[in-house]
Amino acid sequence: MSTAESSDTQWDHDPRVYRRTSQCDRLCVDIGSHVAETPSPDVSHQYTPKFLSAHKGGTTPCHYGEEVWQDGSSLRTTIRAENEVEANKLANNYRFGFRKWKSHVTERPIEDRSDIVRELYSELNFVRPLSGSLITCGNIAYLILFGWWISLAYLLVCVLMFLTIIGVPYGKLCWKLSCYFLWPFGKSILKPRSLVRRCCVKFPHCEAIPEESDSKEVKESSPLLMPPSVPIEVPPQRTRYWCRVSTYVWLLLGYPLLGLIHGLACFLSWILVFTIPVAKMNARTLAIILLMPPEDVHIHRLKKPQGCESQVLLCCYHAFNWYYYKYTLDGINVFAVNLLPLVITTLVVGYVDTENQFVSSEAKFTAAVSSIIPLSYYIGMGIASISAQSNFAVGAVVNATFGSITEMTFYITALLRGHKAGTKCYEEIVKAALTGTLLGCILFIPGISMIIGGFKHREQRFNSRSAGVSSALLFISVGGVFAPTLFSKAYGSLVCAGCSSSPANTSRPFTCMDCHYDMSGSNEPLYLRHIEPLVYTISVLLPSAYLIGLIFTLKTHSHIYDIQVSDGHDHHQGGHGMVVHWSRLRALSVLIMATLLMAACADLTTEHIKPILDHSAISQYFIGVTVLAMVPEIPEIFNGIQFALQNNISLSLEVGNCIAVQVCMIQIPLLILFNTFYDVGFMLLFSDLHLWASIFSVIVVNYIFMDGKSDYFQGTALVVVYLILLALYFFAPSPRAC
């Protein structure tokens, strides 16, 4: 969501808030009364715009956004959306084969957000009633991290301006701002207005008027606020700002130095995310306050009412806010925005410093893996945007095409690099990453969602019928993927190495250090005649099962989910002018660009993983099932947690199931298809550790999901099982090929 001007209802001196609120109330009441005549069908999952249920209660709250609740008697889940696009996105979340996306793809009106969220998007140009103490841990941290050196910079510039003699007015301004930035909380920077307004007659307790950027609106509202009989104060004539010599002295000597200081403070506070108010404060100072005539800048404490003859330029109460993890720019989460420069830096350093002269190979590997996180977020946002604005067929194609692109780019680049180097180690890493993705999606994502959701909600319920469909598909997919491995155990040749016995004492047992089934070299006829055709057969059957699952859940047995999307006419009527963050063309462009960047980051990851594998005491299995498997799924983990916090645990479970099914039924067949056209030596034969860990995980998760209920204890059980399996991989010996 783009940054918008805050409109807290407590700041009642802004007339625009009242116009928006009254329109919103009328809209909700009119639509609610109109829809009240039509009874709602009895469905399990009903999608309606949020304002459609206004007639159910005695009041008419006009807040937009996704809301989920359940009726204890019928386990009915009602989901409301504020417009047609959001309703389509929510419907896609419940459809099989579609990636589950939590963030909005349309811009939500700021006046319909909660007070906490509206505070995040405040431009720090409002004076509101002070509540609580200003001496907080966050404000003290500001003093330690920012306040003292910003104040010191103003003192130095103040001395410089006084030395120029002609810049004395700006020296006085720097002195005042030095005191202000040392502790800006509880103070406001004001600018006198050129006319007296009658707002104090209507709002006698307001301290100052917020800055208004639209002069036309002021002219239109002035007759309503001030009768013609009220005299207008004309300010005294002053020399024009841009005609003063002192202005250019200031712009040459003082402003550049302070611009550097404020720019550094703005960058540091923005990167820390939770100190974004400090970034806003520095940005407004640099863009507005330091370019004003010094006599127009007045600093006052909030304890002293200033009347309504001034407009607020800057007013900050707190430097730290935990809720800034929700902050978005054009629909993009602030963390994804901050990590985007990391992607560019990683690619530049990785492909320029090829000899590792300036940056070590380990640092490049870490940066490349970290760069996958924001790229996965952008790919998910692009998929959700296109799917929400398109019909079912286009959405299904986009999800099937780009849904697995993050993992596929890494797998293919790793196999190509291993084939070029003539080693099987990269193939084993790919198999470990595939298994790690399965284990993480089957155990960790549902488990951590149940734990966090269980702390907020005592017990959560989900649709056991739909969960049963996902469980059946998991059984089919895991069974199909590991069928060639089981076949090799039944008919393969046992190869032993490192065998020893004592010739003098024949009674001692014959011991071997390494026994395994080797299909690649020792028994090629068995692999070429039996196992390879079995692999190709499975690579056809698994996508066919995926297609049958789509037809079953979306066409013939769609009543399992009972998805009903309301008429789009009402959505547009209640959407306050719906604005989509990303159009279809823009989303497609982002998808293509993110895919190319993802391929480059995956190439750097596989290029610089070899030194880590060679010099690490940890098993290569462990690196594959943890770092390479779960880092691309971090956005999905956060989506599952957010669904669980909103008491929508069914979607949290579907997040993991959807990825696990796609790994088995789409990604692995694609790898086999790629190996068919370009032989990189990829064989669908897994080690015993991968085999039994995956089968055991599927059995455990199906046992947990049987009763259709979840709590934090069940989630803890899944996470503990996941950690036990990670311990197995941690202490397991490295693959023979590595």
Side-chain angles (χ1 to χ4, degrees):
M1 181 177 184
S2 57
T3 306
E5 186 175 313
S6 177
S7 56
D8 194 334
T9 54
Q10 296 180 359
W11 304 331
D12 53 5
H13 47 264
D14 187 358
R16 289 172 290 179
V17 177
Y18 287 92
R19 288 196 295 272
R20 285 194 296 260
T21 304
S22 59
Q23 292 173 359
C24 183
D25 291 339
R26 290 195 300 271
L27 179 65
C28 291
V29 171
D30 294 341
I31 297 178
S33 60
H34 172 72
V35 180
E37 300 174 359
T38 305
S40 175
D42 185 12
V43 294
S44 298
H45 295 80
Q46 180 182 3
Y47 294 81
T48 60
K50 191 167 185 180
F51 51 80
L52 290 182
S53 64
H55 63 280
K56 295 182 180 179
T59 59
T60 310
C62 191
H63 300 288
Y64 292 87
E66 180 184 349
E67 182 178 343
V68 181
W69 73 90
Q70 294 180 339
D71 186 353
S73 59
S74 60
L75 294 181
R76 178 182 305 168
T77 301
T78 304
I79 301 177
R80 301 173 180 176
E82 59 267 26
N83 54 62
E84 183 179 5
V85 174
E86 288 299 327
N88 195 25
K89 187 209 71 174
L90 294 175
N92 290 339
N93 279 344
Y94 279 88
R95 287 172 175 158
F96 172 74
F98 284 73
R99 294 188 64 171
K100 320 307 175 188
W101 188 253
K102 181 63 184 68
S103 301
H104 280 65
V105 297
T106 59
E107 183 175 350
R108 303 175 65 185
I110 191 64
E111 62 269 17
D112 300 326
R113 310 294 294 273
S114 64
D115 293 339
I116 295 177
V117 175
R118 274 185 281 181
E119 178 71 16
L120 304 182
Y121 296 94
S122 169
E123 291 297 333
L124 305 182
N125 61 341
F126 285 96
V127 176
R128 56 183 174 85
L130 181 62
S131 59
S133 174
L134 294 175
I135 303 178
T136 61
C137 295
N139 291 351
I140 295 175
Y142 163 84
L143 178 64
I144 299 174
L145 297 176
F146 300 99
W148 68 271
W149 55 273
I150 296 178
S151 177
L152 180 61
Y154 270 99
L155 284 177
L156 297 177
V157 176
C158 173
V159 174
L160 179 62
M161 289 295 102
F162 273 105
L163 291 177
T164 62
I165 306 299
I166 197 172
V168 169
Y170 289 96
K172 295 179 180 179
L173 174 63
C174 289
W175 168 254
K176 293 189 295 184
L177 292 178
S178 175
C179 299
Y180 175 82
F181 279 102
L182 185 64
W183 186 265
F185 315 108
K187 304 173 186 177
S188 61
I189 299 180
L190 309 176
K191 175 185 178 182
R193 286 187 176 271
S194 60
L195 52 88
V196 179
R197 301 179 66 180
R198 291 288 303 275
C199 71
C200 289
V201 176
K202 186 174 182 180
F203 309 111
H205 300 293
C206 69
E207 296 181 1
I209 298 176
E211 176 187 6
E212 297 186 17
S213 58
D214 192 352
S215 58
K216 182 179 179 180
E217 184 178 354
V218 175
K219 293 180 181 179
E220 293 177 353
S221 59
S222 297
L224 299 178
L225 299 176
M226 182 182 63
S229 58
V230 177
I232 299 178
E233 287 188 0
V234 179
Q237 296 294 329
R238 292 194 292 246
T239 305
R240 297 183 63 182
Y241 177 67
W242 297 105
C243 296
R244 306 175 188 176
V245 179
S246 61
T247 300
Y248 296 96
V249 173
W250 165 254
L251 293 178
L252 289 176
L253 298 179
Y255 186 82
L257 296 176
L258 294 176
L260 181 62
I261 293 298
H262 282 296
L264 179 61
C266 189
F267 172 77
L268 294 177
S269 56
W270 182 272
I271 290 297
L272 295 176
V273 175
F274 302 105
T275 56
I276 286 180
V278 180
K280 293 182 178 180
M281 182 170 58
N282 284 273
R284 287 187 67 84
T285 301
L286 190 61
I288 299 176
I289 297 174
L290 295 183
L291 296 177
M292 291 176 52
E295 61 271 13
D296 287 348
V297 180
H298 300 277
I299 300 176
H300 297 280
R301 292 187 177 275
L302 299 180
K303 295 180 180 179
K304 301 177 180 180
Q306 302 301 322
C308 295
E309 296 83 14
S310 302
Q311 68 181 27
V312 179
L313 299 177
L314 186 60
C315 181
C316 184
Y317 297 88
H318 298 286
F320 192 93
N321 192 335
W322 282 108
Y323 288 96
Y324 266 101
Y325 72 89
K326 297 182 177 181
Y327 196 74
T328 58
L329 291 175
D330 200 18
I332 306 172
N333 187 270
V334 62
F335 289 101
V337 175
N338 288 349
L339 288 176
L340 191 57
L342 174 65
V343 179
I344 307 301
T345 304
T346 299
L347 295 179
V348 172
V349 174
Y351 287 105
V352 172
D353 184 23
T354 55
E355 301 297 330
N356 300 331
Q357 296 179 355
F358 303 100
V359 182
S360 65
S361 184
E362 290 79 4
K364 290 180 181 178
F365 172 79
T366 304
V369 171
S370 301
S371 299
I372 294 177
I373 300 175
L375 293 177
S376 300
Y377 178 89
Y378 284 102
I379 290 175
M381 180 75 175
I383 292 175
S385 298
I386 295 178
S387 300
Q389 300 175 70
S390 308
N391 55 33
F392 163 73
V394 174
V397 171
V398 170
N399 274 269
T401 304
F402 291 95
S404 302
I405 200 70
T406 302
E407 297 84 358
M408 290 300 301
T409 51
F410 168 74
Y411 299 151
I412 292 177
T413 53
L415 292 175
L416 289 174
R417 190 167 297 277
H419 178 68
K420 182 179 179 181
T423 176
K424 286 292 206 178
C425 185
Y426 288 92
E427 180 186 351
E428 293 299 327
I429 295 297
V430 169
K431 293 178 181 178
L434 286 169
T435 308
T437 304
L438 279 177
L439 299 180
C441 295
I442 294 175
L443 297 174
F444 182 74
I445 294 181
I448 196 67
S449 300
M450 287 181 179
I451 292 174
I452 297 179
F455 288 151
K456 184 176 181 181
H457 309 283
R458 183 179 181 86
E459 184 179 80
Q460 295 179 293
R461 295 173 178 265
F462 54 89
N463 190 339
S464 58
R465 180 73 187 278
S466 62
V469 174
S470 300
S471 300
L473 288 171
L474 274 178
F475 265 120
I476 296 173
S477 57
V478 172
V481 167
F482 290 100
T485 304
L486 294 173
F487 188 89
S488 69
K489 302 300 179 186
Y491 298 100
S493 299
L494 183 65
V495 178
C496 294
C499 302
S500 62
S501 64
S502 176
N505 187 5
T506 57
S507 62
R508 293 188 60 181
F510 188 80
T511 59
C512 294
M513 301 300 295
D514 183 15
C515 293
H516 60 277
Y517 289 91
D518 189 1
M519 293 292 100
S520 58
S522 62
N523 199 354
E524 289 186 3
L526 177 64
Y527 178 79
L528 295 176
R529 296 179 183 177
H530 301 280
I531 298 181
E532 190 175 35
L534 175 63
V535 170
Y536 291 145
T537 302
I538 290 174
S539 64
V540 174
L541 292 177
L542 287 178
S544 301
Y546 186 82
L547 181 61
I548 293 173
L550 286 175
I551 297 174
F552 177 82
T553 56
L554 302 179
K555 295 296 181 182
T556 61
H557 288 68
S558 59
H559 61 274
I560 295 176
Y561 301 96
D562 279 335
I563 301 174
Q564 179 178 347
V565 180
S566 298
D567 187 10
H569 175 71
D570 291 335
H571 292 294
H572 289 293
Q573 196 174 7
H576 288 298
M578 177 188 60
V579 177
V580 181
H581 289 304
W582 294 1
S583 64
R584 281 187 288 262
L585 179 60
R586 179 182 178 186
L588 181 61
S589 302
V590 171
L591 275 179
I592 296 175
M593 182 61 66
T595 301
L596 295 177
L597 294 177
M598 180 72 71
C601 291
D603 181 65
L604 289 177
T605 301
T606 56
E607 179 183 354
H608 297 284
I609 194 177
K610 187 62 176 176
I612 297 178
L613 298 178
D614 293 339
H615 301 93
S616 176
I618 304 175
S619 172
Q620 284 83 352
Y621 281 142
F622 184 77
I623 297 176
V625 299
T626 54
V627 178
L628 302 180
M630 294 308 295
V631 168
E633 311 302 338
I634 288 179
E636 307 294 343
I637 295 174
F638 281 106
N639 282 334
I641 291 174
Q642 291 180 6
F643 284 131
L645 288 175
Q646 291 190 342
N647 201 21
N648 199 357
I649 193 64
S650 58
L651 284 187
S652 298
L653 304 182
E654 289 296 329
V655 167
N657 289 338
C658 178
I659 300 174
V661 171
Q662 283 190 349
V663 168
C664 295
M665 295 188 171
I666 295 182
Q667 295 179 17
I668 290 179
L670 285 178
L671 289 177
I672 297 173
L673 180 65
F674 175 77
N675 186 78
T676 302
F677 290 97
Y678 189 88
D679 189 6
V680 292
F682 178 76
M683 295 185 298
L684 200 62
L685 297 175
F686 293 83
S687 66
D688 290 351
L689 187 57
H690 297 328
L691 170 65
W692 302 118
S694 300
I695 293 177
F696 179 70
S697 300
V698 174
I699 294 174
V700 169
V701 81
N702 277 274
Y703 177 77
I704 294 292
F705 290 171
M706 282 194 307
D707 58 352
K709 302 176 184 178
S710 70
D711 48 48
Y712 74 89
F713 175 75
Q714 292 179 333
T716 303
L718 293 179
V719 172
V720 168
V721 171
Y722 178 73
L723 295 178
I724 291 174
L725 294 178
L726 289 188
L728 291 178
Y729 282 102
F730 183 83
F731 295 105
S734 298
R736 290 181 299 273
C738 296

